[in-house]
Amino acid sequence: MYGNDGLLGEVEAAEEALRDAAGRQVSGSEGLEEYFTAVIEADQKIEPRDWMPDSYRKTLIRQIAQHAHSEIIGMQPEGNWISRAPSLKRKAILLAKVQDEAGHGLYLYAAAETLGVSRDELVQMLLEGRQKYSSIFNYPTLTWADVGAIGWLVDGAAIVNQVPLCRCSYGPYARAMIRICKEESFHQRQGYEILHTLAHGTDGQKALAQDSVNRWWYPSLAMFGPPDADSTHSAQSMAWKIKRFSNDELRQRFVDMCVQQAEVLGLTLPDPDLRWNEERQAYDYTQPDYDELKRVISGDGPCNRQRMAHRRGAHAEGAWVREAAAAYAKKRSR
Ligand code: FAQ
């Protein structure tokens, strides 16, 4: 019914492959660069102790940090609904979900730190606007149904994008992604269940669910990034096996997955041109507005300013906690 069992199977397979790749068997290469290339070609993992090109390191830091920041900023839109969830059970579930996102941020910052950059530096770059976070978290959560739409569509898009990252060539990132994907899959199901309940409720509840899907559909498609022709990093990231599929390939996979799920929900996707293409064995669909994506990425989305102001405020308010933790660590080390 939920349609992501296949994706979970891919995560299991990637986990097994990771164990094999850990016992690395590439040998006999001459220089450092040749060895790096041989490891990538053999589909084994680059580890923190290995030599790697500076540009590979920089690309990973950029992507992993952006991903970590997204998890942390991504707590805000849903956090907005914790105190207003319609029942104690819904509140407890949402609280746990939002807490999971903090955990994902933590795994990812830890993975980025293995590349020689500290979490403090990364957070500082986010606060100063020198690093990005996902466009999707700059849209507002206007109703309770939006919590369902985020789970179904945003977490759904996140899994489709992230399952291939479980096979990423950099070991610490791949290992973090295995755990994250398993949890994201659960998140997607909780969102789907919220929407399913609303869609099978009163006419008013169904209308609420439909309205949220109408608002979140295109921003979710835009999460996959610019179209391949405009994607600056894809070719190099795919050659390094950081990315395994292009932005457009994953977007298509997501659309194909959602169509059947929407049918089960009894909701429509807001695209009059969505139809099955027999020749391509995939759905034709309307592309999201990529100019809007550019605007949102560059800081001019509906909630960019609010999200960053909140993050800066939370960081400042948490200063005493960081100071206390540092003082305690110092005392213990003495
Ligand atoms: N938003 O050359 P490409 C989640 C930037 S986590 C903002 O195609 P790339 C969990 C890109 O950085 C969601 N910026 O880039 C959750 C680059 O900028 P630069 C986050 C975007 O890296 C659920 C420029 O555009 N997921 O949802 C976006 O090869 C619910 C050119 O683009 C990840 O981070 C965008 N949507 O491919 C949490 C997954 N798209 O640095 C809470 C890991 C592109 O050149 C609640 N990341 N840009 O100035 C990736 O897979 C990739 O980085 C892509 C972009 C696919 C996002």
Side-chain angles (χ1 to χ4, degrees), residues 62 66 132 135 155 161 184 223 225 231-233 243 247:
R62 176 188 62 80
Q66 173 165 331
K132 301 184 168 72
S135 51
D155 284 289
N161 166 262
E184 293 291 20
M223 276 175 78
S231 168
T232 18
H233 304 291
K243 282 168 94 164
N247 298 355

Side-chain angles (χ1 to χ4, degrees), residues 146-168:
D146 287 3
V147 174
I150 289 186
W152 177 40
L153 296 174
V154 176
D155 284 289
I159 308 172
V160 170
N161 166 262
Q162 290 170 26
V163 165
L165 293 174
C166 295
R167 290 182 181 273
C168 154

Side-chain angles (χ1 to χ4, degrees), residues 78-100:
E78 288 172 297
N80 187 33
W81 281 91
I82 290 174
S83 59
R84 288 179 282 156
S87 69
L88 183 60
K89 185 175 147 198
R90 294 281 186 210
K91 192 191 288 263
I93 294 171
L94 183 58
L95 197 61
K97 190 212 176 215
V98 173
Q99 215 165 8
D100 278 355

